[in-house]
Amino acid sequence: MQLNKNRLAVVGPADSVALISEVAQERGSQLKVFPIIYQDASEVPEILRRYDNEIDFWLFSGKVPYCRAVISGNTQKPLYYIPHTGSSLYRVLVQIANSEKLPINNISFDTFSKKEIEEAFADISPDIPRFYLLEYDGVISAGDVADYHYELWKSGKIEAAVTCFLSSYQKLRGLGVPAFRIWPTRDTIRTMLSVAISEVEASRFKGGQIAIQHIAIDGYEDFIRESASNYAAKRTEMRLYELLLNYTEAVKGSIILHGNGQYTIYSTRGVVEELTRQFTVMPILDDVTRELVVGVSGGIGFGSTAYAAEENAHIALGLAQRAGKGKWMVVLDDKTVCGPLNSATHLRYSLRADEPAFRELAAKLNVSATTVNRIFAACDKLDHATVNADDLAPYLGITPRSTRRLLASMVANGLAEVAGEEGFGKGRPRKLYNVNLDRLLPRP
């Protein structure tokens, strides 16, 4: 039986696509290659829209089209690009010196780093000659690149130009500039293909993991007691079941009704990950909030076995219910927690407490190792180490008062310091704390 091949789109200018596709055909038993040629990298977003449903992963000829793909947000598929390495640079310098008999001083470059160019020159000559370099981050147009080289040549500052862009190369040649094109080496292409195939296969394995979702009506006994009638309660449960049934269809799964406001949905990781946008949102939460008078919590668990997924789903539901009513949490196969979904205080942290440093620190602060992980995740989410108790508390899942006690304990143990105060209106000023993340958990 023939295994399904990974569908690879190779995107770039004609010459690069031809070379990359030729090398990719060496992995013909694993890949079905789709060459896609553009005239300009600005076409990348439209290419993604047009072909994304037919592709498993994308390989771009260089960093610029790759960056355009990332910025566009038009695909959730894996994205890769062929890097321009020092060997490619060395090859073009040899071409300039030996084949074209041009001096290898006063040359302009783009895309590479200064260090890469200096190391390539060092392989040819003990003295590094003068050169010019256009460095950039992210997206740049081929026209701007050509203009950079042309202005240097027109002013007499360079003898030759080296570019990674086909359009720039063609324009410069048309203007009479001695221009040279950087090509990726076959070894570089083979290496990148191996990396991409390995990662895609690993992702596909994870995507096939079992996903179990446990859902429960919050405070079910109170919900029944406070309902206008038994019929009213049953209608609410039936409407919830209908909403969950629609969601189950979306994740291509199956649902079991346990009674007492409890439900379980079985599916696979790949479709759940896509539908929840990498475990950040829960699509049905808005409908549940709008249509039902009762909170509904959920826990999503993943695992390579049904037992592991079931265990993680129970943990996730417990975390969700401790976080409050109407919360949903995710526990991945590696015990990473994501959630609450649809929340401004969404975090990603680990449940593991295997490292002795975690256990020691948790004991010193008289908190759980999970709380220690949440502190790290919260500071990362807030993007700064200066916090106050009111802002930090929602991320830790504890009250501001408990958070103040925790921060005071961290100060007493030299893990944080009072940075000042901020006042709002007539209330008592709130203390600001600098959390010392390096001292909080020293890294090896």
Side-chain angles (χ1 to χ4, degrees):
M1 181 179 69
Q2 186 175 7
L3 297 176
N4 290 332
K5 297 182 180 181
N6 291 304
R7 299 169 298 173
L8 168 67
V10 177
V11 184
D15 54 357
S16 295
V17 168
L19 176 60
I20 297 169
S21 298
E22 178 187 335
V23 176
Q25 293 297 346
E26 298 172 1
R27 310 290 290 265
S29 61
Q30 297 171 288
L31 296 175
K32 184 176 182 180
V33 181
F34 293 82
I36 302 177
I37 296 170
Y38 61 62
Q39 297 301 314
D40 188 88
S42 61
E43 300 168 38
V44 166
E46 179 57 33
I47 289 172
L48 292 172
R49 277 192 292 268
R50 186 180 305 173
Y51 297 106
D52 194 50
N53 290 336
E54 305 170 26
I55 299 301
D56 293 318
F57 65 116
W58 297 83
L59 180 61
F60 296 91
S61 61
K63 186 176 181 180
V64 167
Y66 165 83
C67 288
R68 287 187 181 272
V70 172
I71 292 171
S72 76
N74 289 344
T75 180
Q76 297 297 321
K77 306 290 177 58
L79 304 171
Y80 302 91
Y81 69 93
I82 304 297
H84 296 299
T85 62
S87 55
S88 299
L89 185 57
Y90 178 77
R91 183 172 61 184
V92 79
L93 290 177
V94 171
Q95 178 188 359
I96 292 172
N98 295 343
S99 301
E100 302 296 328
K101 306 300 183 184
L102 291 173
I104 59 168
N105 61 315
N106 297 325
I107 301 175
S108 58
F109 301 87
D110 56 62
T111 305
F112 287 93
S113 69
K114 182 180 179 181
K115 181 180 179 182
E116 288 173 320
I117 295 172
E118 289 176 343
E119 288 179 348
F121 275 127
D123 288 335
I124 297 176
S125 170
D127 299 317
I128 298 175
R130 183 179 183 183
F131 64 88
Y132 297 84
L133 173 62
L134 173 61
E135 294 183 277
Y136 57 89
D137 290 320
V139 173
I140 191 171
S141 72
D144 288 342
V145 171
D147 290 344
Y148 169 79
H149 294 290
Y150 180 66
E151 291 300 323
L152 288 171
W153 182 76
K154 189 170 67 172
S155 63
K157 294 180 178 178
I158 61 170
E159 302 288 337
V162 175
T163 180
C164 297
F165 296 79
L166 175 60
S167 298
S168 303
Y169 166 77
Q170 292 171 333
K171 181 177 180 179
L172 290 168
R173 279 287 182 176
L175 292 169
V177 180
F180 298 87
R181 173 94 187 283
I182 289 288
W183 286 76
T185 65
R186 292 175 182 270
D187 280 346
T188 300
I189 296 171
R190 290 187 183 104
T191 299
M192 197 65 242
L193 283 170
S194 295
V195 170
I197 291 170
S198 297
E199 290 185 358
V200 168
E201 291 290 354
S203 177
R204 176 173 289 179
F205 170 76
K206 280 200 166 185
Q209 284 184 343
I210 298 168
I212 296 179
Q213 307 184 50
H214 289 317
I215 301 102
I217 292 177
D218 295 320
Y220 182 75
E221 293 181 358
D222 292 336
F223 157 67
I224 293 296
R225 186 169 53 252
E226 295 169 5
S227 295
S229 67
N230 187 51
Y231 296 110
K234 291 300 179 185
R235 288 192 184 96
T236 298
E237 291 188 64
M238 288 176 63
R239 182 55 185 145
L240 173 59
Y241 182 75
E242 184 179 352
L243 293 174
L244 292 175
L245 196 60
N246 292 336
Y247 170 70
T248 303
E249 183 179 15
V251 297
K252 299 178 175 63
S254 60
I255 184 171
I256 295 177
L257 171 61
H258 298 292
N260 295 329
Q262 298 183 38
Y263 311 80
T264 299
I265 296 173
Y266 297 88
S267 57
T268 55
R269 174 170 175 161
V271 66
V272 173
E273 186 168 7
E274 181 177 355
L275 199 64
T276 60
R277 300 179 196 170
Q278 284 68 54
F279 318 125
T280 58
V281 300
M282 173 46 62
I284 67 168
L285 263 181
D286 289 339
D287 291 335
V288 169
T289 302
R290 182 176 58 253
E291 298 190 27
L292 303 182
V293 295
V294 65
V296 177
S297 296
I300 307 175
F302 300 100
S304 55
T305 66
Y307 178 84
E310 179 89 17
E311 180 183 58
N312 288 335
H314 277 299
I315 294 171
L317 180 58
L319 291 170
Q321 291 172 329
R322 285 198 291 275
K325 292 185 176 181
K327 305 295 185 183
W328 288 63
M329 302 289 287
V330 176
V331 175
L332 306 182
D333 56 311
D334 62 356
K335 297 300 183 185
T336 295
V337 178
C338 306
L341 307 188
N342 284 34
S343 171
T345 58
H346 178 281
L347 287 181
R348 193 180 183 106
Y349 58 92
S350 176
L351 281 177
R352 294 190 181 279
D354 300 335
E355 296 182 30
F358 268 101
R359 295 196 300 270
E360 181 181 342
L361 180 58
K364 184 184 295 184
L365 297 176
N366 195 29
V367 296
S368 68
T370 299
T371 299
V372 173
N373 274 309
R374 281 176 170 168
I375 295 171
F376 278 104
C379 290
D380 183 61
K381 178 74 177 286
L382 294 168
D383 198 28
H384 53 74
T386 301
V387 297
N388 64 60
D390 291 305
D391 289 342
L392 188 59
Y395 292 96
L396 303 185
I398 57 180
T399 65
R401 184 176 181 180
S402 296
T403 306
R404 281 190 286 273
R405 285 199 297 266
L406 172 59
L407 288 167
S409 177
M410 291 171 63
V411 170
N413 282 281
L415 305 173
E417 58 186 20
V418 178
E421 293 183 339
E422 57 181 353
F424 292 93
K426 298 180 180 179
R428 178 186 298 177
R430 300 188 303 186
K431 286 185 178 180
L432 292 173
Y433 298 85
N434 279 335
V435 178
N436 190 325
L437 296 178
D438 292 331
R439 196 178 298 170
L440 187 62
L441 190 64
R443 301 297 183 187

